[in-house]
Amino acid sequence: MMLRRGFILFLPRLAGLVVVACCSVSIVYMLACTPKGDNQQLALPRVHSPTAKDGYEAILQEQEEQHRNYIISLKKQIAQLKAELQGRSKQLKNVQDQHPDPLDIRLDHSNPEKAQANLLAFLRSQIDKAEVHSGVKLSTEYAAVPFESFTLQKVYQLETGLTRHPEEKPVRKDKRDELIEVIELAVGSLNNPEGDGNAKHRVYTASDFVEGIYRTEKDKGTLYELTFKGDAKHQFKRIVLFRPFGPVMKVKNENVNMADTVINVIVPLAKRASKFRQFMQNFREMGIQQDGRIHLTVVYFGKEQMNEVKLILENTSKAANFKNFTFIQLNEEFSRGKGLDIGARFWKGNNVVLFFCDVDIYFTADFLNSCRLNTQPGKKVFYPVLFSQYNPSIIYGHHDSIPPLEQQLIIKKETGFWRDFGFGMTCQYRSDFINIGGFDLDIKGWGGEDVHLYRKYLHSNLIVIRTPVRGLFHLWHEKQCLDELTPEQYKMCMQSKAMNEASHGQLGMLVFKKEIETHLHRQKQSSKKT
């Protein structure tokens, strides 16, 4: 009983000791865990100090500020990660939209209908990405992919290299089979038009094929535009096909009526009356007599030989009963760009096809049709690559006489070259020329203005048709290298002159003429001895 009473009396003391021990432990813990300042640990205020309350509040405020700053930093990092994730997700979606997963196309054997649908969607996306329905803005003239043209028998190509020719039969089997397949498919499309039902229509054959152009964008496919004879004179059928590195897909089947499409041929001129007389002979035969849907605008600079030029025009007008011409005379220094610009803006009729031409150009009636077929207002302009003639005196030097001009206009490696560095001869609708801003009238003289206009079209959304054509020739004329040129300019001028004179082989024959003659002489002497 006494023991129990003693234990009860000891219990309050034990509780007091436990409380004191807990307080001691708390004080030690606070001393160990109090955060440090910049230079030293913050001192713990004494319990009975008059500043104890303020000290604890300061410590709590500092800790709260640190926690707040840490939370703000975490929120910023989370926001940055969210933004980056959103950007990456958008990029991935764009890539998936542009390039459907090939695994869905090729490996989804469990759902063949879905695989076929994905394949068709991918192939059609190639058409949308290629320059078929609209032009693509290009940075320079070197970025343009040129077309090549073809008929049933020949291909007219720019990249001749060392073995290929500017005009040749497609000797490579893959190229021959490719063009035959495209022509056959186009003929089949014409003979089985969509939506006609049982309506009667003419039967088309390969003999109705007029000409075609094609080009390959290496990451998308090959575009073909084929023209066939229509149901009446001056009417055509155009078939547009596209090979997206797989089956050929029909893009368009349309009627093209060019019966009322007039071409305004604009020629800037100063002096050169004899050349103009030759030009008018070509214009009369091809433009007036064979084509008949043509207008001529001559912009003449100065007065020297002007009366002679006007007389040539008047005589042609009377002889051919031709009234569709305009003569504009300017009393100023010759500027090709300004002459063409004034001639284009002078026209007051309906929208018309403009053919910018020079006096030393020869064209055929077939070319005039190509000029019409490859231009479309608001959509396409035509930049043909013409065939430049070598010096006839060198080409035919071993003949008794130089043949007539028409017999000289043969597209062969020995007779000339594709003038793929020239952009002066071009066809476009007047509306497109006005909307693009015309020529740079600050350029004087001859040259430079054509490249400037060409770049304008490349920088626009218009499709630029660039292809060699079989009916447009640059006639040879002597190139003058003036003494006023610097040595470097004179050297470049002579190199240009040499390139226009003859082929490499023909120039080589001239360079080694003495060696050849010596060899022939020795051969002759040797044959006499034997």
Side-chain angles (χ1 to χ4, degrees):
M1 192 74 176
M2 291 290 291
L3 182 63
R4 182 178 178 186
R5 184 179 299 168
F7 179 75
I8 293 171
L9 293 173
F10 179 73
L11 197 61
R13 295 178 183 177
L14 181 62
L17 289 172
V18 171
V19 170
V20 171
C22 290
C23 291
S24 301
V25 171
S26 300
I27 292 170
V28 172
Y29 176 80
M30 290 180 65
L31 288 172
C33 298
T34 301
K36 295 182 178 181
D38 293 337
N39 300 319
Q40 61 182 6
Q41 189 176 5
L42 291 172
L44 182 69
R46 295 187 181 91
V47 176
H48 300 291
S49 170
T51 61
K53 183 177 180 181
D54 295 338
Y56 282 122
E57 288 181 352
I59 292 172
L60 291 174
Q61 286 178 359
E62 185 171 346
Q63 290 180 343
E64 185 179 357
E65 184 69 22
Q66 289 177 351
H67 292 157
R68 188 182 296 112
N69 292 337
Y70 183 60
I71 292 171
I72 292 172
S73 175
L74 287 177
K75 286 183 176 180
K76 286 183 178 179
Q77 293 180 41
I78 293 171
Q80 290 174 355
L81 289 172
K82 283 183 176 179
E84 187 174 351
L85 179 62
Q86 187 176 3
R88 294 292 177 88
S89 300
K90 188 174 181 181
Q91 290 177 1
L92 180 61
K93 185 178 183 302
N94 291 336
V95 171
Q96 290 174 342
D97 290 342
Q98 293 177 7
H99 305 284
D101 187 357
L103 297 178
D104 289 342
I105 296 172
R106 295 181 294 179
L107 302 180
D108 191 8
H109 300 296
S110 62
N111 192 344
E113 292 183 359
K114 179 183 177 183
Q116 185 177 8
N118 288 341
L119 174 61
L120 290 174
F122 173 77
L123 295 178
R124 293 199 174 277
S125 72
Q126 292 288 77
I127 297 178
D128 295 333
K129 289 184 288 185
E131 195 173 357
V132 177
H133 299 295
S134 62
V136 176
K137 293 183 179 180
L138 303 174
S139 56
T140 70
E141 62 270 28
Y142 303 106
V145 180
F147 285 79
E148 294 185 344
S149 55
F150 64 98
T151 62
L152 282 175
Q153 294 82 23
K154 298 290 181 67
V155 175
Y156 303 88
Q157 53 206 3
L158 275 178
E159 298 178 2
T160 56
L162 295 175
T163 58
R164 296 170 63 192
H165 300 277
E167 176 205 60
E168 68 178 17
K169 293 181 179 179
V171 291
R172 275 176 42 187
K173 185 177 184 301
D174 60 334
K175 179 61 66 178
R176 184 170 63 251
D177 291 348
E178 173 195 9
L179 297 181
I180 290 174
E181 177 193 4
V182 168
I183 293 173
E184 289 177 349
L185 187 63
V187 170
S189 177
L190 288 171
N191 289 328
N192 296 281
E194 298 175 358
D196 277 10
N198 297 322
K200 293 183 179 180
H201 54 81
R202 60 173 286 192
V203 176
Y204 288 88
T205 65
S207 61
D208 295 311
F209 177 62
V210 178
E211 68 174 4
I213 60 174
Y214 70 100
R215 71 174 176 185
T216 299
E217 294 184 72
K218 297 185 183 299
D219 59 335
K220 301 175 185 70
T222 303
L223 173 66
Y224 310 88
E225 293 192 13
L226 297 91
T227 303
F228 291 79
K229 297 174 185 176
D231 297 328
K233 188 178 180 181
H234 306 315
Q235 291 187 357
F236 302 87
K237 284 276 193 179
R238 176 187 286 136
I239 299 290
V240 180
L241 305 170
F242 186 76
R243 185 193 298 274
F245 301 115
V248 179
M249 303 175 70
K250 184 178 73 174
V251 176
K252 189 183 297 183
N253 184 345
E254 62 181 358
N255 292 317
V256 183
N257 188 349
M258 295 294 175
D260 299 322
T261 305
V262 176
I263 296 179
N264 184 6
V265 182
I266 303 177
V267 181
L269 188 62
K271 305 176 186 177
R272 308 188 72 186
S274 60
K275 281 288 184 182
F276 184 70
R277 180 177 290 104
Q278 183 183 49
F279 173 83
M280 287 305 298
Q281 291 174 355
N282 170 225
F283 183 87
R284 176 179 175 180
E285 179 183 355
M286 299 297 173
I288 301 174
Q289 296 175 354
Q290 293 194 29
D291 187 85
R293 296 154 291 158
I294 200 163
H295 185 98
L296 175 63
T297 299
V298 177
V299 183
Y300 197 86
F301 290 81
K303 293 184 178 180
E304 188 176 351
Q305 299 185 18
M306 182 185 68
N307 292 333
E308 189 175 352
V309 167
K310 291 178 72 174
L311 183 61
I312 295 170
L313 266 177
E314 292 170 1
N315 289 339
T316 302
S317 175
K318 292 176 183 177
N321 192 24
F322 178 72
K323 306 297 182 184
N324 297 328
F325 69 91
T326 303
F327 185 87
I328 304 171
Q329 195 266 332
L330 302 175
N331 290 318
E332 52 187 274
E333 182 184 355
F334 178 82
S335 169
R336 183 178 185 272
K338 185 170 185 178
L340 293 172
D341 199 273
I342 290 175
R345 296 178 189 276
F346 193 84
W347 179 265
K348 303 303 180 186
N350 296 330
N351 201 11
V352 67
V353 177
L354 304 176
F355 171 35
F356 294 152
C357 189
D358 290 335
V359 73
D360 49 12
I361 295 298
Y362 182 96
F363 59 84
T364 65
D366 287 336
F367 166 74
L368 295 177
N369 265 334
S370 298
C371 185
R372 294 182 178 94
L373 290 168
N374 290 296
T375 53
Q376 190 173 343
K379 189 168 185 179
K380 291 194 295 187
V381 295
F382 187 36
Y383 270 84
V385 180
L386 50 80
F387 195 76
S388 191
Q389 182 190 35
Y390 287 140
N391 187 345
S393 299
I394 296 178
I395 298 172
Y396 305 101
H398 59 284
H399 293 282
D400 294 335
S401 61
I402 298 174
L405 177 62
E406 289 73 13
Q407 297 179 23
Q408 297 177 33
L409 302 178
I410 302 172
I411 300 177
K412 290 188 178 299
K413 199 172 184 178
E414 297 76 25
T415 60
F417 63 98
W418 291 116
R419 204 178 185 88
D420 57 341
F421 53 83
F423 307 98
M425 308 315 121
T426 172
C427 299
Q428 67 266 288
Y429 271 85
R430 182 179 181 274
S431 58
D432 293 327
F433 176 77
I434 298 298
N435 291 336
I436 207 71
F439 282 102
D440 183 356
L441 300 183
D442 293 331
I443 299 175
K444 305 297 181 184
W446 197 287
E449 78 292 328
D450 50 357
V451 178
H452 189 268
L453 180 66
Y454 183 59
R455 287 173 177 166
K456 281 186 177 182
Y457 283 126
L458 289 178
H459 296 163
S460 75
N461 289 324
L462 294 170
I463 299 174
V464 178
I465 304 293
R466 179 77 168 155
T467 177
V469 291
R470 66 187 186 276
L472 190 64
F473 297 87
H474 176 265
L475 303 180
W476 179 87
H477 58 84
E478 187 174 359
K479 186 177 181 66
Q480 299 291 337
C481 295
L482 303 176
D483 292 335
E484 291 80 8
L485 298 174
T486 65
E488 185 63 27
Q489 289 175 326
Y490 190 83
K491 179 182 177 181
M492 292 175 62
C493 182
M494 291 302 292
Q495 289 174 342
S496 176
K497 182 175 182 178
M499 188 174 64
N500 285 274
E501 286 292 307
S503 66
H504 289 172
Q506 292 161 337
L507 289 175
M509 295 293 285
L510 293 176
V511 171
F512 301 113
K513 184 178 180 180
K514 288 186 178 180
E515 290 186 30
I516 296 171
E517 290 177 349
T518 301
H519 172 74
L520 293 175
H521 178 71
R522 287 174 181 172
Q523 288 288 326
K524 189 175 181 180
Q525 293 295 330
S526 176
S527 62
K528 285 183 179 180
K529 290 179 181 179
T530 57

